[in-house]
Amino acid sequence: MMPQHHSVQQKLKCCVELLEHVSRLGAEASMGADFLLTLVCQHLALAHVPKLNAECSFLEEFATDQQLLQGKE
């Protein structure tokens, strides 16, 4: 859903939702950090986000507001 959003806040919310979902899965199965990172990568690969590199670059460039980055983001 990330490409459908146009603001940094909405794109970061998508990222947080993905990480929370994977974290819940990991907590239920007592998974380590290495396996959780693998799950995040698999979810991203299966999501087929068009222009994922551009989405990441957009967030890296514009998600610099300290107030925005103080919460879950």
Side-chain angles (χ1 to χ4, degrees):
M1 294 184 62
M2 188 183 283
Q4 297 173 356
H5 300 297
H6 300 290
S7 73
V8 173
Q9 294 88 353
Q10 291 172 329
K11 288 180 184 288
L12 283 174
K13 184 179 176 190
C14 285
C15 294
V16 168
E17 288 173 359
L18 167 67
L19 294 174
E20 286 177 338
H21 175 70
V22 170
S23 178
R24 278 191 301 274
L25 291 174
E28 291 172 4
S30 300
M31 296 176 197
D34 290 338
F35 191 74
L36 291 175
L37 180 58
T38 302
L39 277 179
V40 169
C41 293
Q42 288 174 346
H43 274 77
L44 286 173
L46 292 174
H48 299 292
V49 178
K51 300 179 184 167
L52 181 59
N53 288 341
E55 295 288 349
C56 292
S57 294
F58 175 84
L59 289 174
E60 186 176 1
E61 183 71 26
F62 295 106
T64 57
D65 183 8
Q66 290 303 317
Q67 187 171 4
L68 176 66
L69 297 176
Q70 289 179 351
K72 291 180 182 181
E73 294 81 3

